Amino acid sequence: MATSEPKAADTPQKAADTEDQQTDGQVVANPEQYIKHPLQNKWVLWYFKTDKSKSWTENFRLISEFDTVEDFWALYNHIQQPSKLGIGCDYCLFKDGIKPMWEDDRNKLGGRWLMTLNKQRHNELDRCWMETLLCLVGESFDEASEDVCGAVVNVRHKGDKIAIWTSNCQNREAILTIGQLYKDRLSLPTKVVIGYQSHDETSSKSGSTTKNMYSV
Ligand code: MGP
């Protein structure tokens, strides 16, 4: 019976991490050392910076693409948190092949679950954005994850916004599944209500508020 803690190098995990395994005199590389963990989808991170001399679409920059867990964290750890971005900037994370705009074929019939944060929020903003990213890359909404197109964080004077965009505003069941699970993941109190709006409504709105199609 062991009477003391094993030295770190004695633990099987440590040995597997640092050495190749030997079987019948042959050296077998441990796949954990060189195979990255694939995500279900490939994702593209975009950055938007307001420049009034350019059109809205010209203000987007593609930052990076990734399709493994390791590359997601490498990117996440490398870039600024949303709370450090200037007013008027956005990050958008979308599935590969979907542009972060209403006009894209996969967005044009869709809408978004929208969360607006109040002003004393910097930690909240970063926490909620990280949780949103994890919901996306981790495909956290069961089958309804198919409906997810991407997510956007807007840094704004009047209050920052985070939204999950989905592909079809008529897919009631999928949208409500996403909304409820998203609210749970963000640990929002039950009394806080988040709303889902179609892009059609948002893009054609005349006043400052957009009608909610669904709320949770
Ligand atoms: P915004 O950046 O989504 O929100 O849209 P903001 O800055 O909080 O403004 P508000 O209108 O919601 O109060 C700002 C503006 O950017 C919109 O009014 C559009 O002119 C433009 N815009 C935003 N989006 C998401 C799109 C889009 O997908 N396509 C196009 N063509 N313009 C967009």
Side-chain angles (χ1 to χ4, degrees):
M1 197 212 292
T3 54
S4 61
E5 294 269 309
K7 280 182 272 160
D10 294 335
T11 61
Q13 188 56 46
K14 182 79 177 176
D17 284 350
T18 54
E19 291 164 16
D20 293 340
Q21 297 159 350
Q22 284 200 308
T23 318
D24 299 336
Q26 287 185 316
V27 176
V28 182
N30 175 7
E32 281 290 314
Q33 287 179 316
Y34 59 87
I35 297 180
K36 293 180 181 174
H37 297 82
L39 296 169
Q40 199 164 314
N41 276 290
K42 183 173 182 182
W43 297 89
V44 181
L45 185 71
W46 302 81
Y47 173 63
F48 177 94
K49 186 163 186 244
T50 307
D51 176 346
K52 294 264 158 60
S53 68
K54 293 182 181 158
S55 71
W56 186 83
T57 39
E58 285 171 337
N59 280 326
F60 273 106
R61 292 281 167 276
L62 190 157
I63 300 182
S64 191
E65 307 172 339
F66 58 86
D67 59 7
T68 66
V69 175
E70 288 79 0
D71 290 344
F72 163 69
W73 285 114
L75 178 61
Y76 178 82
N77 290 324
H78 182 68
I79 59 172
Q80 298 275 19
Q81 294 283 313
S83 61
K84 298 282 188 309
L85 298 182
I87 297 289
C89 293
D90 306 336
Y91 280 137
C92 308
L93 185 76
F94 275 72
K95 285 177 179 164
D96 185 36
I98 308 180
K99 293 216 176 74
M101 47 194 74
W102 305 318
E103 293 85 350
D104 190 281
D105 277 349
R106 296 272 303 275
N107 292 323
K108 65 184 181 199
L109 300 176
R112 62 174 176 173
W113 278 112
L114 176 65
M115 196 185 39
T116 307
L117 293 106
N118 67 29
K119 310 278 292 163
Q120 288 78 43
R121 50 28 180 182
H122 277 344
N123 286 341
E124 232 0 51
L125 176 67
D126 295 341
R127 181 189 73 80
C128 290
W129 179 239
M130 188 181 89
E131 206 54 49
T132 305
L133 295 178
L134 293 178
C135 284
L136 263 57
V137 301
E139 313 282 338
S140 299
F141 306 118
D142 307 324
E143 280 163 26
S145 290
E146 273 283 302
D147 272 52
V148 170
C149 295
V152 179
V153 56
N154 306 118
V155 180
R156 297 290 184 273
H157 247 315
K158 60 192 174 195
D160 302 325
K161 295 180 282 186
I162 296 179
I164 291 187
W165 288 30
T166 75
S167 56
N168 191 326
C169 64
Q170 303 303 331
N171 289 353
R172 181 188 172 84
E173 202 181 318
I175 291 168
L176 289 174
T177 301
I178 292 167
Q180 194 54 62
L181 289 170
Y182 185 42
K183 196 174 158 182
D184 293 346
R185 283 287 293 267
L186 294 176
S187 308
L188 298 181
T190 320
K191 65 174 194 282
V192 172
V193 172
I194 57 171
Y196 181 98
Q197 299 135 17
S198 73
H199 296 317
D200 205 24
E201 180 85 22
T202 308
S203 58
S204 59
K205 73 174 176 183
S206 47
S208 58
T209 49
T210 307
K211 202 171 71 206
N212 287 338
M213 280 184 81
Y214 312 99
S215 48
V216 290

